[in-house]
Amino acid sequence: MRLAPGSLALLVATLGLPVAVAGAQTVVRPGFNLFSVTQDAEIGKQSALQVERQMPMLSDAAAQRYVSALGARLVAQAPGPKFAYQFKVANLSDLNAFALPGGYIYVHRGLLQQVRSEGELAGVMAHEIAHVALRHPTNQASKAYLAQAGLGVLGGRLGGRSTTGQLVNAVGGFGMNTLFLKFSRSVESQADIVGSQIMAKAGYDPVEMATFFAYMGQQAGGNPGAVARFLSDHPAPADREARVRREASLLGAPRRTPAIGSLAMVQTRLKGLPPAKTTAQLAQGGTAAGNTNTAPTGLSIEAPSSRYNTYQQRNRSFTIEQPDNWVAGESSDGFGVTILPRGGIATNARGFENISYGVIVNHFVPFDGAIGNSFIDAQNSAYETATLEQATSDLVRQIRQANPHLTRRTESDQRTTVAGVSSMEVHLAGQSPQTGRDEAVTVVAREVADGHIIYLLLIAPSDEAAAIKPTFDRMLRSLRINEQVAHQ
């Protein structure tokens, strides 16, 4: 069933977008949503991975700490679901910020350098937090799905039983990030109102949000290129500044709190960094230049940061350190993790993705769980128990079944130590059919108490393996395994 022209707007109004003044502040109710709160978080996580493969992140710890601390103060006053908000600084020169479902919020370096006070920055960030709290991104996706699927979804005939993947694919897959970045004027007004309320509760004067809008208007007249992205993503009604000032008057004078930190100090640090590209330059060309790390000789990706974060598996089965400019993506079963630098995935002409750089950590049950029983391995050898070498060979056999281009370099097999326990290291190599480049894959396998294997795959182009080896070695040394966790 298709909606008649104009009926979608009527339906949205009917399903819950009224705005009314009640007491000291304006009451904003979020619109209808076919996605659950859990699905918001799932979609946001996947969308963030996609964004961070395409967009350079700023590797400056002081700036990141400042933005995260300010974000935490504002989030403490946010309405709506208690998402696990994350704040990151994109190394782009545009005056912009944006939000993805589930609490993933990105502030451009250009915005951080241009705001004139912590309150102005708080205003922009509170606006983005409001989009997440009101679930505007998936509300927008729900409208798109409704337009395709018809009114039946509202009764649960489709939407109630649909998985996240079905809903996402119906509105364009995770390429639907574009749905999350452009909102209507009424939705932007809602985010302004709720953002003002968040600011006031957090101890900032909402008028500073209004003064920032006035500043953006001045910039649009004198330097339109600097604010083009913001104005494109945030359509501004003529009375936007006035509407925020009116909300500020309803809220009354806020109880001021001390500044989170020194904005001036952060801005001074950023001025000393190499210039960042604009979003338009990034789209035209190419690589995410303007990052604060310079790739060493022999690397075609951004250099791994010297600062590391710790990734913890959700069941606390293991932890591993990763460069803070690499991205960790959890496997669908929740046990494994793939840790990649930007540019670590290559896509061929047919759209297939191939990991060209990265580290995979996962769990493996040798011989389909036949440890301790009589069985025959791939070489037709019968035995009762499996040694670590035999279990590793079974793992390698399964890897090669899925990747037949890889050849095992048996002469380089060796014993090593992982988390204090003797382990096996095996080297594979071959020309990737996806990228056409020779790639090197190091397999490191460590047995755990139940006879299962925790393994790492260290992946890089063959001609760049030596340059990335220090990073891989650091990650391998950092792996810590909890022997008490049962593996299914």
Side-chain angles (χ1 to χ4, degrees):
M1 176 178 179
R2 298 286 182 179
L3 291 174
S7 60
L8 178 59
L10 177 61
L11 179 66
V12 169
T14 304
L15 291 176
L17 289 179
V19 175
V21 176
Q25 67 179 35
T26 303
V27 177
V28 177
R29 298 186 181 91
F32 85 103
N33 210 306
L34 298 175
F35 297 84
S36 68
V37 169
T38 299
Q39 287 174 318
D40 270 39
E42 292 172 359
I43 293 168
K45 181 176 181 179
Q46 294 298 321
S47 297
L49 288 172
Q50 185 182 69
V51 162
E52 292 178 28
R53 288 176 193 148
Q54 301 169 349
M55 182 177 290
M57 295 296 110
L58 182 69
S59 297
D60 184 273
Q64 181 59 55
R65 282 195 302 269
Y66 177 73
V67 169
S68 294
L70 178 54
R73 176 182 283 183
L74 295 167
V75 163
Q77 306 301 329
K82 300 303 178 185
F83 292 116
Y85 284 84
Q86 296 184 33
F87 299 86
K88 296 187 179 181
V89 182
N91 194 28
L92 293 169
S93 63
D94 314 81
L95 279 70
N96 201 17
F98 64 93
L100 298 175
Y104 296 83
I105 293 176
Y106 296 85
V107 174
H108 285 204
R109 171 181 162 186
L111 175 69
L112 196 53
Q113 289 181 262
Q114 290 297 317
V115 290
R116 298 164 299 176
S117 68
E118 184 170 294
E120 287 191 348
L121 180 60
V124 177
M125 292 174 63
H127 173 96
E128 300 302 335
I129 291 168
H131 278 313
V132 174
L134 294 169
R135 304 182 63 209
H136 283 156
T138 47
N139 165 256
Q140 192 121 311
S142 297
K143 296 176 190 177
Y145 185 54
L146 178 63
Q148 294 188 39
L151 292 175
V153 299
L154 298 178
R157 290 181 57 237
L158 297 176
R161 294 194 298 273
S162 293
T163 65
T164 303
Q166 287 173 319
L167 286 166
V168 167
N169 289 335
V171 289
F174 286 108
M176 74 174 184
N177 275 359
T178 53
L179 281 172
F180 304 154
L181 304 181
K182 293 183 184 293
F183 297 112
S184 68
R185 292 187 173 191
S186 63
V187 168
E188 289 290 350
S189 182
Q190 289 180 23
D192 288 346
I193 292 168
V194 173
S196 298
Q197 295 164 2
I198 292 171
M199 287 183 72
K201 291 176 183 176
Y204 296 97
D205 188 347
V207 169
E208 291 197 78
M209 181 190 287
T211 61
F212 180 74
F213 290 150
Y215 172 66
M216 294 295 280
Q218 295 166 3
Q219 290 292 303
N223 186 15
V227 297
R229 191 71 188 180
F230 185 91
L231 297 178
S232 171
D233 291 348
H234 302 78
D239 63 348
R240 190 170 187 182
E241 180 189 351
R243 183 65 188 85
V244 171
R245 289 186 181 277
R246 186 161 69 251
E247 189 66 25
S249 69
L250 292 173
L251 295 168
R255 181 177 297 175
R256 289 282 193 169
T257 55
I260 283 290
S262 173
L263 175 63
M265 181 273 291
V266 171
Q267 290 176 329
T268 299
R269 286 178 61 90
L270 295 181
K271 286 179 182 177
L273 298 178
K277 284 190 173 183
T278 66
T279 304
Q281 288 171 334
L282 188 67
Q284 287 169 1
T287 59
N291 288 301
T292 57
N293 294 315
T294 302
T297 302
L299 281 186
S300 59
I301 56 165
E302 175 189 11
S305 171
S306 60
R307 293 180 290 272
Y308 281 70
N309 297 326
T310 298
Y311 172 85
Q312 180 170 269
Q313 192 269 344
R314 67 162 73 167
N315 295 328
R316 301 179 182 274
S317 179
F318 64 83
T319 61
I320 188 171
E321 293 182 356
Q322 66 180 75
D324 70 0
N325 59 342
W326 288 26
V327 178
E330 194 175 75
S331 65
S332 58
D333 63 10
F335 188 90
V337 63
T338 300
I339 303 173
L340 302 169
R342 284 185 294 278
I345 289 183
T347 305
N348 70 6
R350 294 189 297 164
F352 291 107
E353 290 187 337
N354 180 72
I355 297 175
S356 55
Y357 261 108
V359 174
I360 296 172
V361 186
N362 215 330
H363 164 250
F364 176 70
V365 182
F367 301 101
D368 294 324
I371 297 297
N373 299 319
S374 178
F375 56 90
I376 298 176
D377 72 3
Q379 284 70 46
N380 205 35
S381 300
Y383 44 88
E384 297 297 325
T385 59
T387 65
L388 176 61
E389 287 84 351
Q390 291 163 340
T392 303
S393 290
D394 187 46
L395 169 63
V396 170
R397 177 178 59 84
Q398 296 203 30
I399 291 172
R400 293 191 63 237
Q401 282 181 346
N403 301 271
H405 66 283
L406 293 174
T407 300
R408 181 173 180 174
R409 297 161 52 197
T410 54
E411 75 282 358
S412 63
D413 289 2
Q414 61 183 4
R415 282 275 180 170
T416 187
T417 300
V418 175
V421 174
S422 180
S423 306
M424 278 296 298
E425 181 175 316
V426 173
H427 295 268
L428 309 175
Q431 186 181 71
S432 167
Q434 304 294 342
T435 66
R437 296 184 70 183
D438 288 337
E439 63 181 358
V441 179
T442 300
V443 182
V444 180
R446 179 195 187 276
E447 193 171 17
V448 288
D450 56 10
H452 297 182
I453 297 294
I454 301 294
Y455 68 88
L456 294 87
L457 303 184
L458 311 169
I459 305 163
S462 295
D463 58 354
E464 302 181 25
I468 200 69
K469 188 176 186 298
T471 299
F472 284 168
D473 287 347
R474 161 84 182 257
M475 296 177 72
L476 182 60
R477 290 194 304 270
S478 76
L479 181 68
R480 297 292 179 268
I481 295 172
N482 183 355
E483 296 279 2
Q484 305 306 313
V485 174
H487 308 115
Q488 301 300 322

